[in-house]
Amino acid sequence: MEELLVVDAQGHVHSACLHWDGFPRRLWELLSAAGYLQPPVYDGHEFVEDGVRRCSVTMVIPQHPLNGWEPIVTQMVGHYLLDTWELTAMRAMTTFCSLRPLEVVLTAFGLFPAPDPADPLWLDRMAHVDVVATLDPVGALRTTAMCLDGLYRLHTYQSYAVAQLVDHAQALHLAVQLRDGQLQEASTELESRATLIAQLHGQVHELQDTVSDRDATINFLEDQFHDLQLEMDEAQGQLHAIQHAQDALHAPPDEMQVDEEDEPQEIEGFSEMDSEDQAPQPAPVEVHTPAASEASVNM
């Protein structure tokens, strides 16, 4: 027995959808009556788009083995696999009845609603309801009841999906309201912070002005200090010059000058050492002569 559901590596679900009594089973009854050998396979996958649960199903009615009819591809988007399977099978039945009117004209499936209510072929089939009822009254009634049952199942699944979407929408609405409240609080806080920032900017400007004034004062004082330093250096230079002059006035005389002034001049040919080494000589005795005595008296 073939598996009811097959899930591939990409997460797609493959199934013939014949394990319950719905539109997929009605479609296979129609296709088998038209000569198809295998039921079509539904390829579906669920996903989330913009926070909403979605489901996409693709189903291909293969090429007819005898008549060579082209494949019929049907793709529908719903909310869950159950409702999207039913919706895809119902759309495929409508498409098949529109493309193959002669195959369904004398069957209860020929009475299935057409995409266009003004379709002349569908209106012709509706005109022969009595013929269909005469040829197979039990089958016509059974097919009609089964289609109504499939429609009920589709309506039930869609109602469930809509209820889920309503709950999701309500949750999103509450989340949006909560976000709005948070944004309002954040906006109020931003306004208060903007006011505080403006005040701080004003204080910063005031402090910058104060700093500029202080910098100007500091520069002025530095200039004055520099001038005072120059004057102090000049005064210290003058003070050092005066101190040097006073020290020169109170200093003892130079020893060399003292020796030159105190020591007697050396007599040429004699020195202090010579006088020290030479023995003292007795003073010469003057000889008084009469002539000398007379001369001295006359003077």
Side-chain angles (χ1 to χ4, degrees):
M1 180 179 179
E2 296 183 358
E3 296 183 6
L4 300 179
L5 297 174
V6 177
V7 181
D8 60 15
Q10 288 74 29
H12 289 212
V13 180
H14 304 271
S15 175
C17 299
L18 299 179
H19 49 284
W20 77 89
D21 195 14
F23 276 115
R25 185 176 290 275
R26 303 287 80 77
L27 175 62
W28 171 233
E29 291 177 357
L30 174 61
L31 296 178
S32 61
Y36 285 89
L37 302 179
Q38 296 292 333
V41 177
Y42 298 79
D43 177 7
H45 70 283
E46 295 179 332
F47 58 94
V48 177
E49 183 180 20
D50 295 334
V52 179
R53 187 184 182 91
R54 306 296 298 275
C55 178
S56 176
V57 172
T58 301
M59 187 269 291
V60 179
I61 299 176
Q63 184 177 357
H64 198 278
L66 301 176
N67 299 329
W69 294 336
E70 295 293 330
I72 300 175
V73 180
T74 304
Q75 184 176 13
M76 297 299 297
V77 176
H79 300 286
Y80 296 92
L81 280 173
L82 292 176
D83 67 293
T84 311
W85 278 336
E86 295 283 350
L87 186 61
T88 303
M90 185 178 69
R91 179 61 60 84
M93 287 178 62
T94 303
T95 304
F96 184 83
C97 292
S98 300
L99 295 177
R100 310 287 180 256
L102 297 179
E103 303 297 327
V104 298
V105 65
L106 296 179
T107 64
F109 292 104
L111 306 177
F112 200 78
D116 183 9
D119 185 3
L121 295 177
W122 183 75
L123 294 176
D124 182 67
R125 293 196 301 271
M126 290 298 294
H128 296 83
V129 174
D130 54 344
V131 176
V132 175
T134 301
L135 293 177
D136 188 9
V138 178
L141 183 60
R142 175 181 174 278
T143 302
T144 302
M146 289 299 179
C147 288
L148 291 175
D149 181 66
L151 187 61
Y152 172 77
R153 289 173 59 86
L154 175 59
H155 177 71
T156 301
Y157 292 148
Q158 287 185 337
S159 298
Y160 175 74
V162 170
Q164 294 289 328
L165 291 177
V166 168
D167 293 340
H168 187 67
Q170 289 178 346
L172 288 178
H173 180 69
L174 293 177
V176 169
Q177 286 184 337
L178 180 61
R179 289 285 180 87
D180 289 341
Q182 293 176 349
L183 288 176
Q184 184 65 31
E185 293 178 358
S187 177
T188 304
E189 185 177 358
L190 287 176
E191 290 179 356
S192 61
R193 288 187 178 183
T195 304
L196 179 60
I197 289 173
Q199 295 176 356
L200 293 177
H201 274 302
Q203 294 178 359
V204 167
H205 286 304
E206 293 178 358
L207 291 175
Q208 288 178 347
D209 295 337
T210 303
V211 169
S212 299
D213 295 339
R214 289 185 178 181
D215 289 340
T217 304
I218 290 173
N219 293 330
F220 177 73
L221 293 177
E222 286 179 349
D223 294 338
Q224 288 186 342
F225 179 77
H226 181 68
D227 296 338
L228 291 175
Q229 188 70 30
L230 293 177
E231 293 178 359
M232 183 179 294
D233 293 339
E234 184 179 359
Q236 286 181 352
Q238 294 177 359
L239 182 62
H240 284 303
I242 296 172
Q243 186 69 30
H244 182 70
Q246 290 179 355
D247 292 341
L249 292 176
H250 293 84
D254 193 287
E255 295 180 356
M256 293 298 294
Q257 294 178 358
V258 171
D259 292 341
E260 290 177 355
E261 292 177 357
D262 294 343
E263 291 181 2
Q265 294 181 354
E266 293 182 358
I267 301 174
E268 185 179 356
F270 294 93
S271 64
E272 183 179 355
M273 294 182 66
D274 294 337
S275 62
E276 290 179 359
D277 294 338
Q278 191 175 8
Q281 297 292 329
V285 178
E286 295 182 355
V287 178
H288 297 277
T289 61
S293 302
E294 187 177 0
S296 59
V297 171
N298 291 328
M299 290 179 64

